[in-house]
Amino acid sequence: MPAETYDYVIVGAGAAGCVLAYRLSEDPSISVAVIEAGGRDTHPFFRVPKAVPKLMGRAANIWAYPTKAEPGTGNKVETWLRGRVVGGSTSINGLMYVRGQPADFDAIAELSSDDWNWRHIGAAYAALEGHELGAEGTRGGDGPLKLSLPGKDVRGPWHEAVIAAGHAMGLPVKEDVNVPDDDEGVGYNPRTVHKGRRVSAATAFLRPAERRRNVTVITDATVDRVVLEETKAVAIRYLKGGAAQEVRATRDIILAAGAMASPGILERSGIGDPAVLEPLGITVRHALTGVGANLIEHRALLMQWRLTDHRYSFNNIHRGWRLVREVVRYGLTGKGPLSSATFDMGLWLKSRPGLNRPDVQFLVAPHSLDFSKMGRTTEPFPGMSLVVYPLRPTSAGTLHITSADPEASPCLSPNHRDTEEDRRAMVGAIRAVRRFTAQSPLKEIVATETMPGPQYETDEQILQAYDQFATCGYHAVGSCRMGKDAASVVDSELRVRGIAGLRVMDTSIMPVVPSGNTQGPTMAMAWRAADVIRRGG
């Protein structure tokens, strides 16, 4: 049977792939196929914002990437998780919508081209967002991605204390923490939640695109490799139901599988570092040593505190009969704590004087996890939690395949805190957290720090806490770096160097990590990418 043929074949139905399918299919004369390794997001958990732990435990919907045991991981193996489902990681993530700072995109543009500067990315945000605060400047009010802030049904005295403590530190209180001013701030986190339900890239972009006759979505299809004719990409070979199949593209194949998967697809296709491919018996079709290099990831430390009173914590609400009550409430009204994202509040600040913009992000929640029970429930006493990380790490790791089998785990070397700059920022971040919790009125309701604990005090001890207790931020970028230099994997128009008809658009192309969570920046860059791709014909 001859392979199906489309104008564009997109690999991956995550944040980038869904946006690309939505935009490229706007032209009814253009046909688009999207290939996704996972299945449909039909389970009820995919709709409930607070079901993140349940979703992370669904093995069928997860790609699990074990790391090497390194000093920066406390010499232990950690696991980085990604979504294997329509919507990709936007279907399982913590729903944080952080745009990044305008300076981030200007930095990307400086390394690539003006196509990626804030003027273009700001316009993309304005077009794709449907923010409950309405349109203003680069904030969109009518776009397909519906965004909201925590509602009055969940706000309480704890939230007010967080705002007041941030203000006491000198941070401006912002109605919209994503206002593009490259400045510090404290406020309520925007979330990809609408009417109490998760809004993934699939619900916002792919499902509307599928209503068009020119879009085909192929699920449960694990991509093996790109099929090349000489130095031109012509098809994608994938495995479905145990059988190998192909789908061909007349214009472009676009890899949108993410920073963890796109490098492997290139390498299995014979595009990459010969020193990686030849020992695996893979014929080198095009030597490109940057594939799988320059992997940058946030190192995120979860901190927790015991509070003085249950009035300031949701811990009780997530346990026992109160949880049953909230499940019923959510089912009937779509409101209450189960409609909340992982973290209600956010702070962006400078860890030390002399910086020109924030270098640290705090995400704060009115609950704390009971790790004696594997973090599957909240602690029996009132608590709060905060995840902290330096925003722009400079240490770079690597990610390379270990086999030609598309299901085999790659060799993942995070190489956290390799640079002195990163180590200084990590220490500064924790000291900034402790200054925050020492501000009134928050200090009056904090009893004691329980994780990692006040015993981690010196610079060396703080770095030990990161090694022992921290995790990845689920924000990996850079493994197919975009740039104007010959050593970059893709050029400024997303074309894989040396290969015709093949582009990459996902977090792997970002030469630097944006200041915050990556789902928003990925969607905005994919929105802009559609214009760049169409311009190229």
Side-chain angles (χ1 to χ4, degrees):
M1 180 181 295
E4 294 288 331
T5 301
Y6 301 86
D7 291 303
Y8 295 104
V9 174
I10 300 169
V11 176
C18 291
V19 172
L20 287 169
Y22 180 88
R23 301 264 1 255
L24 293 174
S25 66
E26 289 171 333
D27 181 347
S29 70
I30 296 296
S31 59
V32 177
V34 182
I35 306 175
E36 168 57 42
R40 293 283 178 173
D41 54 339
T42 54
H43 195 282
F45 286 159
F46 288 111
R47 297 191 291 273
V48 182
K50 265 293 191 286
V52 172
K54 297 289 188 182
L55 293 170
M56 290 289 194
R58 286 176 59 85
N61 299 126
I62 294 292
W63 287 105
Y65 297 95
T67 71
K68 293 175 64 177
E70 298 178 339
T73 65
N75 292 310
K76 62 185 184 298
V77 173
E78 297 179 347
T79 304
W80 296 8
L81 304 179
R82 294 295 186 273
R84 183 173 182 163
V85 62
V86 168
S89 294
T90 71
S91 290
I92 67 167
N93 67 9
L95 303 100
M96 297 291 96
Y97 185 76
V98 180
R99 282 171 150 212
Q101 301 161 0
D104 297 327
F105 300 101
D106 288 338
I108 291 173
E110 186 176 349
L111 296 169
S112 54
S113 79
D114 285 345
D115 275 322
W116 308 101
N117 64 23
W118 175 250
R119 180 171 68 88
H120 290 301
I121 298 302
Y125 275 127
L128 69 87
E129 293 174 351
H131 203 298
E132 73 171 15
L133 293 178
E136 182 177 329
T138 61
R139 186 176 67 222
D142 300 315
L145 184 71
K146 303 306 178 186
L147 304 169
S148 64
L149 301 174
K152 294 180 180 179
D153 54 305
V154 296
R155 299 186 187 188
W158 175 86
H159 299 77
E160 295 169 2
V162 169
I163 293 283
H167 184 62
M169 287 182 74
L171 304 182
V173 179
K174 295 182 175 181
E175 180 185 36
D176 180 3
V177 297
N178 280 321
V179 62
D181 58 8
D182 284 332
D183 198 6
E184 298 178 301
V186 57
Y188 289 93
N189 284 326
R191 315 88 47 86
T192 48
V193 175
H194 181 59
K195 295 182 178 179
R197 292 192 172 191
R198 174 189 291 272
V199 179
S200 70
T203 56
F205 302 105
L206 190 59
R207 287 179 189 161
E210 282 190 276
R211 298 189 192 110
R212 303 166 183 161
R213 295 182 178 182
N214 56 338
V215 175
T216 300
V217 179
I218 305 168
T219 59
D220 301 300
T222 302
V223 169
D224 175 16
R225 58 185 172 86
V226 180
V227 178
L228 301 175
E229 292 180 357
E230 300 299 331
T231 57
K232 179 177 174 58
V234 297
I236 284 292
R237 184 178 188 270
Y238 64 91
L239 306 176
K240 183 178 175 70
Q245 301 183 46
E246 288 189 4
V247 58
R248 298 181 68 86
T250 59
R251 295 198 179 194
D252 282 313
I253 291 168
I254 308 169
L255 301 187
M260 306 303 294
S262 286
I265 295 171
L266 291 177
E267 290 179 333
R268 290 193 298 275
S269 307
I271 303 168
D273 188 343
V276 173
L277 305 185
E278 290 173 349
L280 300 176
I282 296 173
T283 300
V284 178
R285 303 296 299 273
H286 181 65
L288 205 55
T289 57
V291 174
N294 195 57
L295 182 72
I296 304 172
E297 171 63 294
H298 290 132
R299 185 68 170 163
L301 181 62
L302 179 69
M303 302 182 69
Q304 299 196 149
W305 294 262
R306 184 167 185 157
L307 303 184
T308 58
D309 195 304
H310 275 295
R311 291 178 299 163
Y312 302 109
S313 175
F314 286 178
N315 276 3
N316 265 1
I317 294 175
H318 293 297
R319 301 170 62 91
W321 66 266
R322 292 181 179 88
L323 177 58
V324 175
R325 180 190 64 191
E326 292 302 327
V327 169
V328 173
R329 179 188 181 191
Y330 176 79
L332 293 175
T333 67
K335 295 183 178 181
L338 296 186
S339 70
S340 294
T342 306
F343 297 97
D344 288 354
M345 314 295 294
L347 296 87
W348 290 263
L349 65 157
K350 302 170 187 176
S351 64
R352 62 184 188 274
L355 298 176
N356 63 357
R357 60 187 174 122
D359 69 323
V360 172
Q361 174 173 288
F362 302 170
L363 299 175
V364 202
H367 63 259
S368 57
L369 300 178
D370 187 345
F371 287 99
S372 69
K373 296 183 178 178
M374 306 297 289
R376 293 171 182 165
T377 186
T378 51
E379 293 180 304
F381 48 78
M384 62 173 272
S385 59
L386 178 154
V387 66
V388 55
Y389 45 85
L391 285 169
R392 292 178 293 280
T394 56
S395 301
T398 58
L399 177 73
H400 294 295
I401 60 172
T402 58
S403 165
D405 179 359
E407 296 284 354
S409 296
C411 178
L412 169 56
S413 173
N415 197 35
H416 294 302
R417 65 168 182 78
D418 183 55
T419 66
E420 177 59 33
E421 181 180 349
D422 285 356
R423 293 190 289 273
R424 181 183 182 187
M426 293 165 90
V427 171
I430 301 309
R431 299 206 186 285
V433 171
R434 288 171 173 163
R435 288 198 302 274
F436 165 63
T437 56
Q439 305 295 320
S440 291
L442 195 56
K443 71 175 182 179
E444 281 78 28
I445 68 174
V446 170
T448 185
E449 179 185 316
T450 57
M451 179 177 284
Q455 68 271 27
Y456 293 91
E457 175 55 33
T458 67
D459 291 3
E460 182 179 357
Q461 289 168 341
I462 288 173
L463 291 175
Q464 288 174 354
Y466 273 102
D467 295 346
Q468 184 175 352
F469 301 114
T471 65
C472 70
Y474 303 101
H475 306 150
V477 307
S479 52
C480 296
R481 179 178 64 88
M482 175 173 63
K484 62 179 69 173
D485 59 299
S488 59
V489 176
V490 301
D491 67 15
S492 61
E493 294 190 340
L494 312 173
R495 298 172 298 200
V496 175
R497 293 188 180 278
I499 303 294
L502 181 61
R503 302 185 198 239
V504 183
M505 176 53 242
D506 54 33
T507 58
S508 73
I509 70 162
M510 298 177 183
V512 295
V513 63
S515 298
N517 308 61
T518 49
Q519 73 162 335
T522 304
M523 291 174 178
M525 290 185 71
W527 191 278
R528 174 60 183 162
D531 296 325
V532 172
I533 292 168
R534 288 188 293 212
R535 184 183 66 201

